[in-house]
Amino acid sequence: MKRIKERLSFIYEDHDIDPIWQSIKERIAKTKTKSLKLRKQNWDERDLVLITYGDQFYEKNDPTLDTFKKMFDQYLADKFEIVHLLPFYPYSSDDGFSVIDYKKVNPKLGNWEHIESLSRSARIMFDDVCNHISAKSDWFQEYLNGNPEYQNFFVEIDPTIDLSAVTRPRALPLLTKFTLKNGEEKHIWTTFSEDQIDLNFSNPQVLLKMIDVLLFYIEQGAEYIRLDAIGFMWKEVGTTCIHHEKTHEIVKMFRDVVDEAAKGTVIITETNVPHKDNVAYFGNGADEAHMVYQFPLPPLVLNAIHTGNASALTNWAKELPPTGEETTFFNFLASHDGIGLNPIRGLLPEEEILAMVEDMKTEGALVNYKKNPNGSESPYEINVTYLDALNKRSDDDEIRVKRFLAAHSILLTLPGVPAVYIQSILGSRNDYDGVAKTGMNRSINRQKYNVLEIEEELINPITLRNKIYRELTKIIQIRKMEPLFHPNAAMEVLDLGKEIFAFKRSDAVNDSLLVVHNLSKEKVNITLTGSFRDVISGEKIEIDNSMSLDPYQFVWLKPIIN
């Protein structure tokens, strides 16, 4: 508790922090009186995350969380230990990320009893959308109505102030004009959209409210908590307003709070930014996030398979810092958002990034743009399902499956906890009807399914969905049984040719496993000698100096010690 007080003194140097500290202590004590589910400490090779919406599957008249649980129990429970439920609260836009009420479940999805029921099948990851709240929320409406309790909850800015230094993730205005009940006009900070009102953390009462939300989620069974858009949380005119030192201090305080209230709760920071800024949220390895998103991974794997050249992926992997016992990476290839490009700026030449974007637009992908400080625009993310991102529209299903599995072999074998998006394990294609319906590019990868229709495709052995589900399931289950895929097992990246992405995983007793991917469309020979067991097939392989890999073939090889 002493560290929390010290952090308060740093964040609010001009305030009397004793009342704030006392309120936090009392709120933590309240959580500790609850009968909380026993939490697993840290993670291991069995931990895989499924990313999904709570209304991913539907059937007539049933709460979608109830329907989801039935689908999960039947098709997914033996593959995934953790379910990341994307925001399931009442919302007004952005598919849940403009939260109206942090403490309610969207009635369409169900109620807290449905969340509790799902938590009996898997550990649950909640989203804490702590940077902003819906313009339709009670908090903001009370502000507009002049309630003094909420007058300093949001960031009012004179529109004549120079804000050109502020980092912009969208090609949208930073400020939005609102009219108060008394007729007064105010310009309010809205980083992401006019419906997503940034919270003012320079007001200690906002911090107290959000700590209350954080602990409420723990009380409702959250074992993993994702801090959404966390990098933008602290605003200071004259700075970039991203990754501010006080933002880091607040994340560290959140870590202190959950460690004090429910040790084993995992804090994950979502920062879609260049790699060095992303890993900064590990803090000193024991005082900030337990996990950070591995944002460079999706575009680097995509680029390697598109070009048949894994050099950039290899060079990046060589520089990955080892993680300690209290930290690891949160690895993913696809999510509810697009494939972010900012994390690979500096890892790939800009002209190569732009060429990849144009190639993918030709194949049907959509693109979102961000505004630069000089007023120009740059592509910010590619909107596409990962299956379609890897392939051309003219490709046949056999090559689609090969590329898709090669990409997911990388996801499953790198250091860290792997997360698979629901659309990926369902083998989903681009949903243009969804884009037309919502007007949002991101809807291309957010399709929702009638249970009867999706089940029919999943169980039909001739469909692409069945082939993806069956083959991806196979390597997931093998991965879960291999201790050398522990998230913190050491990795040594190997140079076996530009077409090859290869590395060795090893443990403290010198057991090792060699993972090799051919990411090109050509057969490739690699130099290798020894006796191995292929972990995937179970077969013994004798290699005398050279091994041939077919296009997009990958192998997991464990040396046989004579």
Side-chain angles (χ1 to χ4, degrees):
M1 295 298 294
K2 180 182 177 184
R3 285 197 302 184
I4 293 175
K5 188 172 185 179
E6 291 170 351
R7 299 197 197 288
L8 287 170
S9 295
F10 176 79
I11 298 166
Y12 302 113
E13 62 267 31
D14 297 328
H15 290 74
D16 177 7
I17 62 154
D18 283 334
I20 310 167
W21 185 46
Q22 188 62 36
S23 295
I24 293 172
K25 287 198 297 182
E26 291 172 0
R27 186 62 185 86
I28 291 173
K30 178 183 173 183
T31 297
K32 293 172 82 169
T33 66
K34 305 285 185 180
S35 179
L36 300 179
K37 183 178 178 182
L38 186 65
R39 280 158 163 71
K40 180 176 182 176
Q41 302 300 306
N42 293 344
W43 37 77
D44 59 36
E45 63 277 2
R46 296 183 295 276
D47 289 326
L48 274 82
V49 180
L50 176 71
I51 307 169
T52 184
Y53 283 99
D55 60 348
Q56 190 61 61
F57 306 110
Y58 60 87
E59 49 192 343
K60 191 174 181 180
N61 300 325
D62 285 353
T64 59
L65 281 169
D66 194 33
T67 303
F68 176 82
K69 184 177 187 301
K70 286 187 279 189
M71 286 291 289
F72 180 79
D73 287 346
Q74 183 168 352
Y75 294 101
L76 301 164
D78 59 337
K79 292 91 177 164
F80 299 98
E81 304 293 313
I82 302 141
V83 172
H84 173 197
L85 277 179
L86 292 158
F88 50 83
Y89 325 110
Y91 71 96
S92 52
S93 63
D94 198 18
D95 276 351
F97 285 91
S98 55
V99 178
I100 292 175
D101 191 325
Y102 291 116
K103 292 188 174 183
K104 290 183 179 177
V105 176
N106 185 340
K108 173 188 171 186
L109 276 64
N111 53 42
W112 286 113
E113 285 72 25
H114 291 102
I115 300 292
E116 195 278 330
S117 176
L118 181 59
S119 74
R120 294 196 291 270
S121 295
R123 287 135 64 206
I124 309 297
M125 176 172 163
F126 285 21
D127 268 287
D128 187 350
V129 188
C130 49
N131 178 72
H132 49 264
I133 195 168
S134 168
K136 308 297 189 298
S137 66
D138 286 347
W139 293 8
F140 191 64
Q141 291 302 307
E142 288 299 307
Y143 162 81
L144 294 177
N145 289 334
N147 184 338
E149 180 183 350
Y150 293 91
Q151 284 316 287
N152 199 29
F153 264 52
F154 309 99
V155 185
E156 300 175 357
I157 292 286
D158 181 342
T160 64
I161 291 176
D162 181 10
L163 298 174
S164 60
V166 175
T167 297
R168 300 294 297 118
R170 301 282 187 273
L172 294 169
L174 178 62
L175 304 181
T176 302
K177 184 171 69 174
F178 290 92
T179 303
L180 307 187
K181 186 178 181 180
N182 64 9
E184 189 178 1
E185 291 184 344
K186 294 287 186 181
H187 287 80
I188 307 298
W189 200 294
T190 51
T191 296
F192 292 96
S193 79
E194 63 183 10
D195 186 43
Q196 293 165 297
I197 316 298
D198 286 60
L199 293 165
N200 181 16
F201 278 88
S202 67
N203 176 3
Q205 296 306 310
V206 170
L207 178 69
L208 290 177
K209 283 274 195 182
M210 295 315 294
I211 286 176
D212 173 60
V213 169
L214 180 67
L215 292 172
F216 175 77
Y217 289 163
I218 289 173
E219 292 164 2
Q220 299 303 315
E223 296 189 53
Y224 280 50
I225 296 176
R226 174 188 187 266
L227 302 180
D228 176 66
I230 197 71
F232 298 95
M233 198 160 51
W234 193 272
K235 282 74 176 174
E236 181 180 338
V237 174
T239 74
T240 61
C241 299
I242 189 169
H243 316 312
H244 194 284
E245 60 181 351
K246 292 190 176 182
T247 291
H248 279 282
E249 204 68 18
I250 291 172
V251 176
K252 291 177 181 182
M253 183 180 297
F254 286 171
R255 165 72 177 266
D256 293 338
V257 166
V258 301
D259 281 353
E260 184 72 28
K263 185 75 172 175
T265 305
V266 175
I267 293 288
I268 306 176
T269 50
E270 187 263 339
T271 51
N272 190 353
V273 294
H275 188 66
K276 66 180 178 60
D277 297 318
N278 190 32
V279 297
Y281 285 85
F282 278 143
N284 68 11
D287 70 342
E288 202 165 344
H290 298 90
M291 296 185 191
V292 299
Y293 271 72
Q294 193 68 284
F295 275 104
L297 186 62
L300 283 175
V301 171
L302 180 60
N303 173 262
I305 291 178
H306 264 243
T307 62
N309 187 338
S311 299
L313 178 63
T314 295
N315 292 335
W316 165 79
K318 284 180 179 179
E319 298 300 318
L320 281 178
T323 53
E325 292 182 1
E326 296 187 57
T327 59
T328 195
F329 293 106
F330 188 85
N331 295 330
F332 73 108
L333 292 177
S335 75
H336 60 291
D337 289 341
I339 299 169
L341 298 172
N342 284 350
I344 56 170
R345 290 192 157 99
L347 300 176
L348 287 174
E350 186 67 16
E351 58 270 21
E352 192 169 336
I353 294 173
L354 296 177
M356 181 172 69
V357 169
E358 291 305 312
D359 286 347
M360 297 200 60
K361 284 170 66 176
T362 301
E363 293 298 331
L366 306 177
V367 179
N368 279 333
Y369 292 82
K370 69 180 182 74
K371 191 172 289 294
N372 300 316
N374 64 3
S376 64
E377 293 187 354
S378 298
Y380 169 75
E381 67 177 12
I382 305 170
N383 302 111
V384 61
T385 67
Y386 211 76
L387 179 60
D388 278 339
L390 292 169
N391 297 287
K392 298 181 181 297
R393 285 183 280 197
S394 59
D395 288 330
D396 61 35
D397 284 354
E398 182 180 359
I399 198 68
R400 290 182 202 280
V401 173
K402 285 182 178 179
R403 290 192 183 117
F404 190 78
L405 291 176
H408 281 78
S409 168
I410 296 171
L411 171 67
L412 294 172
T413 56
L414 280 175
V417 170
V420 178
Y421 186 38
I422 187 75
Q423 305 291 354
S424 293
I425 198 159
L426 295 178
S428 297
R429 307 291 301 278
N430 289 338
D431 180 19
Y432 296 107
D433 289 342
V435 175
K437 183 177 179 180
T438 67
M440 291 173 49
N441 286 354
R442 287 178 170 179
S443 296
I444 200 170
N445 194 25
R446 297 180 178 181
Q447 189 173 358
K448 310 298 171 60
Y449 300 100
N450 176 285
V451 163
L452 294 179
E453 293 174 1
I454 193 68
E455 280 193 294
E456 185 177 345
E457 285 191 76
L458 274 180
I459 63 177
N460 184 343
I462 68 170
T463 66
L464 179 60
R465 288 196 192 278
N466 176 274
K467 293 171 185 174
I468 293 287
Y469 169 78
R470 182 163 27 90
E471 294 300 321
L472 184 51
T473 290
K474 176 184 174 182
I475 60 173
I476 283 174
Q477 291 175 325
I478 293 169
R479 190 260 188 205
K480 292 176 66 172
M481 300 302 294
E482 177 48 66
L484 287 164
F485 290 137
H486 187 287
N488 296 113
M491 175 178 71
E492 178 189 356
V493 180
L494 307 174
D495 285 309
L496 298 179
K498 66 181 180 64
E499 303 91 349
I500 301 297
F501 181 51
F503 49 87
K504 183 170 71 173
R505 301 292 304 274
S506 57
D507 62 18
V509 295
N510 293 321
D511 283 340
S512 66
L513 191 153
L514 180 63
V515 180
V516 185
H517 306 86
N518 177 9
L519 299 183
S520 77
K521 61 183 179 181
E522 307 294 338
K523 182 175 286 194
V524 176
N525 290 320
I526 62 170
T527 301
L528 188 65
T529 299
S531 299
F532 300 91
R533 181 175 64 84
D534 185 332
V535 173
I536 296 175
S537 69
E539 296 177 354
K540 181 179 178 180
I541 301 176
E542 295 285 348
I543 304 173
D544 184 13
N545 194 45
S546 179
M547 179 182 186
S548 178
L549 291 172
D550 290 333
Y552 310 111
Q553 183 182 355
F554 57 91
V555 289
W556 304 349
L557 301 175
K558 185 172 281 191
I560 298 173
I561 308 300
N562 295 322

